[in-house]
Amino acid sequence: MKLGVVMDPIESINFKKDSTLAMMLEAQTREHELFYMTPDSLYINESGAFAIAKTINVKNEPTGWFDFKEEMQIKLSELDVILMRQDPPFNSNFIYNTYVLESAEREGVLVINKPASLRDCNEKVFATEFPECCTPFLVTSEPSLLRSFIDDHKDTVIKPLDGMGGSSIFRIRSSDPNLNVILETVTESYATKVMIQTYIPEIVDGDKRILLINGTPMNAAVARVPAEGELRGNLAAGASAVARSLTEKDLWICEQVGPKLKELGLVLVGLDIIGDYLTEINVTSPTCFREYESLCDINVAFNFLETLEGLNKND
């Protein structure tokens, strides 16, 4: 395949943890040709969708994991598959790039994940399509509704809809003297909608990440266990990663969500599950490939490329 990869600058990645690099290394072992594209390199003109791309050689070496070969302007329809691996924030520029990739899709390119679904499926709000899998929740910016939810449920967690890496997540109890200032801060003075959920005590055992490929889960989870004194089960916030077996409830949640992911062209997705509850559905650039390999002995990159090759043949 001619495989295009849209990603943030490769020189800035964390070599030990980066899932996109793991994908590229696996693709290269299979002799696919790699085309590296940064988010700002994508564009459209009257002839279609293009990018300023570089052919690239990747290496599993911590001091020099890539070499660029040739830079070129490439029509995206010359590629077989494009992986959209641009990290959040999910802002206007991210959305504009999905328009470019959607143009390439119309010209016959397989784009993973599907651009329209990346736009439509907010990682927090998308989980609410499966209320039977979730703890009680509310999405609003209305202060009276937020305060009522906190009064009813006593112990809650509030977070922005566009955050990542555990940023701006607060635990709020009904007796919290800082309640008003927290609500004002997270909602930007009640101008921006947020998600509030009941607090799940099982967070102390970890926030489980379950990767699904084409709707099918890997047969284990990577749990991000918060550091002592921390609420957030995010590796970026200092959590430690451990392997977990999938519970019956984990598998049940995957069964509820998996068919919808497949229908929407969301080939690679990370479910976040705390205790028995689905909290987020990560669609933009799901990670933990490296942790799955080191902790669970599961080569997600191998499974992902196997799936990509099958989808490309059937496209």
Side-chain angles (χ1 to χ4, degrees):
M1 294 187 296
K2 289 186 173 181
L3 179 62
V5 182
V6 180
M7 64 183 293
D8 296 295
I10 192 170
E11 61 271 18
S12 303
I13 66 172
N14 184 329
F15 169 81
K16 291 182 179 179
K17 293 180 177 293
D18 196 80
S19 295
T20 307
L21 179 61
M23 297 174 188
M24 296 169 77
L25 287 165
E26 178 65 29
Q28 188 170 270
T29 65
R30 294 164 178 257
E31 300 185 345
H32 300 309
E33 190 175 3
L34 294 173
F35 294 81
Y36 164 84
M37 300 171 281
T38 56
D40 60 359
S41 75
L42 304 178
Y43 66 97
I44 307 174
N45 65 22
E46 66 279 3
S47 300
F50 292 81
I52 300 169
K54 295 178 181 178
T55 52
I56 189 172
N57 177 65
V58 288
K59 297 174 283 187
N60 198 17
E61 297 176 9
T63 57
W65 52 85
F66 69 96
D67 289 314
F68 292 132
K69 294 189 281 187
E70 182 183 0
E71 181 173 293
M72 67 197 77
Q73 294 187 43
I74 185 170
K75 198 168 195 289
L76 295 184
S77 60
E78 296 175 25
L79 303 173
D80 298 301
V81 179
I82 298 173
L83 303 181
M84 176 48 157
R85 294 290 299 174
Q86 179 181 349
D87 285 336
F90 186 83
N91 55 17
S92 296
N93 283 325
F94 193 108
I95 291 171
Y96 301 152
N97 277 336
T98 66
Y99 296 149
V100 180
L101 294 174
E102 202 165 32
S103 176
E105 192 177 50
R106 288 193 295 269
E107 295 176 36
V109 184
L110 177 64
V111 182
I112 307 286
N113 283 323
K114 188 174 180 66
S117 295
L118 288 176
R119 289 198 302 272
D120 291 346
C121 299
N122 175 273
E123 300 189 326
K124 275 73 170 177
V125 180
F126 188 23
T128 70
E129 293 193 24
F130 308 92
E132 69 279 12
C133 301
C134 300
T135 188
F137 62 82
L138 174 68
V139 177
T140 186
S141 59
E142 168 55 47
S144 63
L145 293 175
L146 290 167
R147 292 192 187 98
S148 178
F149 187 93
I150 295 166
D151 287 341
D152 289 344
H153 295 284
K154 310 303 181 189
D155 200 352
T156 65
V157 172
I158 192 167
K159 53 191 174 184
L161 296 180
D162 60 354
M164 65 170 290
S167 62
S168 300
I169 294 177
F170 293 90
R171 181 180 180 183
I172 312 179
R173 298 175 178 88
S174 55
S175 59
D176 196 322
N178 295 309
L179 188 151
N180 287 333
V181 71
I182 292 172
L183 293 182
E184 289 167 9
T185 299
V186 180
T187 63
E188 299 177 308
S189 298
Y190 304 109
T192 303
K193 284 182 169 59
V194 296
M195 173 175 273
I196 189 166
Q197 302 162 303
T198 58
Y199 174 72
I200 306 170
E202 289 85 354
I203 184 61
V204 297
D205 299 320
D207 183 348
K208 291 174 285 188
R209 164 62 56 86
I210 303 175
L211 289 176
L212 289 81
I213 297 176
N214 214 21
T216 301
M218 302 297 97
N219 60 6
V222 172
R224 289 77 52 89
V225 180
E228 187 174 351
E230 257 288 357
L231 162 71
R232 299 168 295 174
N234 301 86
L235 298 179
S240 56
V242 297
R244 291 275 192 265
S245 299
L246 298 185
T247 66
E248 288 187 14
K249 193 61 178 286
D250 293 336
L251 291 169
W252 180 82
I253 291 172
C254 292
E255 287 171 1
Q256 308 315 301
V257 178
K260 186 68 172 181
L261 302 179
K262 199 168 181 179
E263 174 191 330
L264 293 174
L266 294 168
V267 174
L268 178 63
V269 169
L271 301 188
D272 286 350
I273 296 176
I274 301 174
D276 288 336
Y277 299 103
L278 175 68
T279 60
E280 294 186 19
I281 302 177
N282 295 272
V283 303
T284 49
S285 56
T287 60
C288 286
F289 278 44
R290 299 286 203 172
E291 290 81 2
Y292 259 95
E293 187 164 13
S294 62
L295 297 172
C296 309
D297 197 27
I298 296 174
N299 188 339
V300 181
F302 176 90
N303 295 332
F304 183 58
L305 263 295
E306 286 279 300
T307 298
L308 278 192
E309 291 170 349
L311 290 172
N312 183 53
K313 288 176 184 174
N314 296 329
D315 193 43

